[in-house]
Amino acid sequence: MTHLLPCLILSSCFLASSALAFDPLPKVIPAPADNPQSKVKIELGKQLYFDQRLSLDSTVSCNSCHNVLDHGPGTDGQAFSSGIKGQKGGRNAPTVWNSGFNSVQFWDGRAATLEDQAKGPLINPVEMGMTNHDLVVERISKISEYVAQFKKAFPKDQNPVTIDNVAKAIASFERTLLTPDSPVDQYLKGNKKALTPAAIRGMNLVNTVGCTSCHSGPNYAGPTLPIGTGFYMKFPTIEGTTYDQKYHFSQDLGRYEVTKNEADKHLFRVQSWRNVATTGPYFHNG
């Protein structure tokens, strides 16, 4: 199943269960069996995440578009991020915080895992601009400190510096980017003083008016689904409105660009409400 029914049909399903709508965020993101977490791998992934040498002209890192310095928003606050040579991407960069809870990655769900996602920007000509993954591996292999770290992080591999291991290391670091124990998490765990009366009214309101048809689950991005199964909604819900024409929402065909399935036109992965106050602008077109 690649997508679920439109918002209006889903409303009755999700509103029937408040547990689906409001769940505290777990303190650990599960790692896949072929990429278990380790301290050395996480540290290696952190260095790669911030290393501009992974881009063709050594000007762009993962953190350039997904800023987590000083607990930054996990994005860059721009409508469209700048890649090498100042080129602009075609979609807004979503926050990387809590992204390990997403069942698919990217707005159109074209990557199932963080490992899959990490490989994409490296060879995107507008983003980090490497001509191919072999060039990424070649550049890293010339840095003796990195070679030593890869050997420690992947001790069973005869040749540990591979693009798969680069992606695994970055994904391992990204799985540490969590924001648990927010006021609403504390409230849901029993501390009824963690939220103000106004916040409680707001929480009840978004549930009753149907916002949680889309923004449910622990990451407020939809129900928990198997990895590779995306939770998508049509945007805009109504085409041809004044806002659609003004902001050109319908120009991007969304998941259709991946599947070429007519039913997937204008479907996008539902974005998280976590840290929403700091992660704007919010829509796929910035």
Side-chain angles (χ1 to χ4, degrees):
M1 179 172 59
T2 59
H3 62 272
L4 302 181
L5 296 176
C7 221
L8 293 177
I9 299 177
L10 281 169
S11 295
S12 60
C13 299
F14 285 105
L15 293 179
S17 174
S18 61
L20 275 176
F22 302 117
D23 292 325
L25 193 73
K27 292 187 177 182
V28 176
I29 295 176
D34 65 344
N35 190 26
Q37 295 284 72
S38 72
K39 185 176 180 180
V40 291
K41 193 189 301 180
I42 291 168
E43 182 58 34
L44 171 59
K46 181 178 181 179
Q47 290 181 243
L48 292 168
Y49 187 90
F50 288 98
D51 198 334
Q52 295 178 332
R53 291 174 294 184
L54 268 63
S55 66
L56 186 63
D57 60 4
S58 296
T59 62
V60 177
S61 70
C62 301
N63 192 69
S64 298
C65 302
H66 303 280
N67 177 24
V68 296
L69 286 174
D70 297 322
H71 209 81
T75 182
D76 59 4
Q78 304 298 310
F80 301 111
S81 299
S82 297
I84 62 168
K85 302 177 182 178
Q87 299 176 95
K88 294 289 186 179
R91 287 177 181 160
N92 177 259
T95 180
V96 72
W97 287 107
N98 307 309
S99 61
F101 289 114
N102 297 334
S103 57
V104 294
Q105 305 295 327
F106 293 112
W107 281 96
D108 54 21
R110 63 185 182 274
T113 65
L114 288 176
E115 287 80 1
D116 294 336
Q117 188 278 332
K119 297 178 184 179
L122 295 169
I123 58 173
N124 186 305
V126 175
E127 296 181 41
M128 300 176 81
M130 289 293 206
T131 52
N132 52 57
H133 285 139
D134 290 339
L135 182 58
V136 178
V137 172
E138 178 184 343
R139 183 171 291 188
I140 292 174
S141 298
K142 292 179 179 179
I143 304 171
S144 59
E145 292 85 353
Y146 265 144
V147 174
Q149 286 177 275
F150 270 89
K151 288 179 179 178
K152 291 179 180 179
F154 302 96
K156 296 181 179 180
D157 293 4
Q158 185 174 359
N159 299 304
V161 185
T162 66
I163 193 61
D164 285 341
N165 286 347
V166 170
K168 285 181 177 181
I170 293 174
S172 292
F173 169 63
E174 290 178 333
R175 289 192 175 94
T176 70
L177 300 176
L178 295 167
T179 59
D181 290 327
S182 69
V184 70
D185 292 317
Q186 296 174 40
Y187 179 88
L188 293 171
K189 292 177 181 179
N191 179 5
K192 300 308 177 184
K193 295 182 179 180
L195 291 181
T196 65
I200 294 172
R201 291 195 299 272
M203 182 177 66
N204 293 331
L205 182 61
V206 299
N207 197 35
T208 57
V209 302
C211 302
T212 51
S213 299
C214 299
H215 299 283
S216 59
N219 204 22
Y220 297 90
T224 301
L225 297 173
I227 295 297
T229 301
F231 182 68
Y232 306 100
M233 289 294 164
K234 184 178 180 181
F235 188 85
T237 303
I238 302 174
E239 296 178 44
T241 65
T242 301
Y243 284 109
D244 183 14
Q245 295 172 9
K246 180 178 180 179
Y247 297 110
H248 311 293
F249 290 133
S250 295
Q251 286 186 1
D252 192 329
L253 298 180
R255 182 145 177 82
Y256 172 82
E257 300 288 1
V258 178
T259 67
K260 304 305 179 184
N261 183 342
E262 286 289 324
D264 289 337
K265 282 187 175 180
H266 307 301
L267 289 184
F268 296 90
R269 178 175 63 82
V270 173
Q271 292 299 299
S272 173
W273 266 2
R274 291 277 173 180
N275 310 300
V276 67
T278 62
T279 57
Y282 304 105
F283 298 128
H284 63 270
N285 70 341

